[in-house]
Amino acid sequence: MIEYQIIPIHPEAHLFKVEMTVAETDKAGQLFSLPAWILGSYMIRDFAKNIVQIEARSGNKKVPLEKVDKQTWRVHAEGGEITLSYQVYAWDLSVRTAHLDITHGYFNGTSVFLRANGLENEPCRVEVLSPAGEAYKEWRVATTLTSTSEKPLGFGHYTAHDYDELVDHPVEMGTFDYAEFEVNGVPHGIAITGRHNADMDRLCRDLKVICEHHVGFFGELPKMDRYLFQVMAVGDGYGGLEHRSSTSLLCKRSDLPCVSVEEVTDGYRQFLGLASHEYFHLWNVKRIRPEVFKQADLSKEVHTGLLWAFEGITSYYDDLSLVRTGLITRESYLELLARVITRVMRGSGRHKQSISDSSFDAWTKFYKQDENAPNAIVSYYAKGALVALALDLTIRRHTAGKKSLDDVMHAIWQEYGRVDLGVGEHDVERMAERVTGVDLKDFFDTFLRSTEELPLADLLSDVGVGYKLREAISSEDQGGVKKINDKPLQPKAVLGARVTSDAGVPKIAVVFDGGAAQLAGLAAGDVIVAVDGIRATASNLHELIASQDIGSSIELYAFRRDELMLFDLPTLRAVDDTCELWLEQSVDADLLAKCDQWLQ
Ligand code: ZN
């Protein structure tokens, strides 16, 4: 048994104090280490950098502690019991690390619990203590770690069978709001931290619908005592991380539903999509998981070409299940889908990187995006979701609707997730072929391992959905559902760059391959001063350029660092990178039935 005790020792200084006791240690010098990354977020984050003080004792005697590498210590105590004491600085408001102040505390085990190397399979016990003082007497604890006390949401002792389990249950503490509902007889909680006005009853109602849908989809809820949606509501932010019986979500408080608003706003739709995504992960990635993620080495990168299947397929089903459950309309779903297509079409990186490579290189490319990212990489989330859609529609086409991706996922759950068999690099492909009887070799070679465009217009026509690409009509245009009686567009000149507003001053963030900005020699970081003799602002820049005739050029002044430069900007029209989808009006009964099969 490895014993831990954690206390927010100085919330105002963002410091947790951890004590860890190991009864029997390595005579040759016991190693202790902290992970460099957390499952579900594929980037080296070096959590050990936040350990600010550490010491070791054996009995009452201080013993020497030697640093072996950036995240590993060796304690020389000739075996026997060792107690480590250390403090962890926690001031990263994300779902991946730890955060502590006088309003709440949050941590992932990977940020705070050292691992006793070689003893990873030992059971663990954690005592979670409240910060000292009157100010904290209302604080409660939300986690799905197994509690040994009767009091729900209380401070006290928690247990885990091994280190992996210990660090897969984040812990929230503070004065969060809490509500519960049941799915398959298992209590599901939602804890919301941060100021908000959310309608807790509605959240419970809608989340229950999504959870029950996913349980029905896979045929069962994996074994667990309880599940928790742990939500941090902030002014601006978005993110989620999946765990084996909980998820940590970060969202805008305005995305949560208010009591007075009945409709599903764009923000609430996004929140439901995020919750749906993380809950789908209970099966796809937490239990149906790549072979290499079983007992994953958390000290360094672990590569797989399969993230498209774990994130892409999950991204496909997260929104699809919102329309299948009736939480959103078909038009609303097509709007979401059109926006995903638009996001993919706007990056020329899709011509350079396959989603298999994008998966493999997630550590250094997708997770470390710079100003050239749209030109160099493709998202295994967005393109992965489109490959999942194309795969689903291809299977439906070749089996006359008798099989679908649903059947493939169900079988993968039965044969891999359910029995905890790791998924090999080609097993998803093999299973898709076996379950459907369709020869999909070309499909996978082309759409996973090459950069060829997906035939979405053709495939979507099978289910009565129209598809069109057009140019963007404004810098806010994300694509969506086609409006009937739209006027034909007048081609307009565009900059060919993504621009941010630096206190109202336009600054180039990304220069797109082949666009006007690149041809003129503009670069990321350039601050645009004037266009055609007129002072440019973040709000008038696009209009200044759009008002020029296509096929000429204009003078554009910009600062590069502190040097004023003159650029000759060609006036080029926007490329057709914005997707519109629509439900065809006059379709026959057969097509309508196929659409129903897909969306119901
Ligand atoms: Zn995900």
Side-chain angles (χ1 to χ4, degrees), residues 242 277-278 281 311 314 381:
E242 66 278 6
H277 181 98
E278 304 305 345
H281 273 321
E311 291 303 345
T314 302
Y381 282 85

Side-chain angles (χ1 to χ4, degrees), residues 433-449:
E433 291 202 303
R434 209 199 71 203
V435 170
T436 63
V438 180
D439 180 356
L440 293 162
K441 188 179 179 305
D442 276 357
F443 180 95
F444 289 123
D445 282 345
T446 310
F447 303 121
L448 297 185
R449 288 177 281 278

Side-chain angles (χ1 to χ4, degrees), residues 301-313:
E301 294 89 343
V302 176
H303 296 281
T304 171
L306 280 176
L307 293 182
W308 72 268
F310 294 100
E311 291 303 345
I313 291 178

Side-chain angles (χ1 to χ4, degrees), residues 143-200:
T143 181
T144 52
L145 272 173
T146 304
S147 170
T148 58
S149 92
E150 290 294 298
K151 198 173 146 222
L153 308 175
F155 286 93
H157 287 96
Y158 292 85
T159 58
H161 289 103
D162 54 27
Y163 184 78
D164 281 355
E165 182 181 326
L166 174 69
V167 299
D168 202 13
H169 291 87
V171 174
E172 170 71 21
M173 53 178 84
T175 54
F176 48 80
D177 286 313
Y178 185 82
E180 244 180 41
F181 55 97
E182 258 192 25
V183 176
N184 263 40
V186 175
H188 282 50
I190 173 164
I192 307 184
T193 300
R195 291 186 193 187
H196 71 93
N197 251 327
D199 181 343
M200 297 297 278

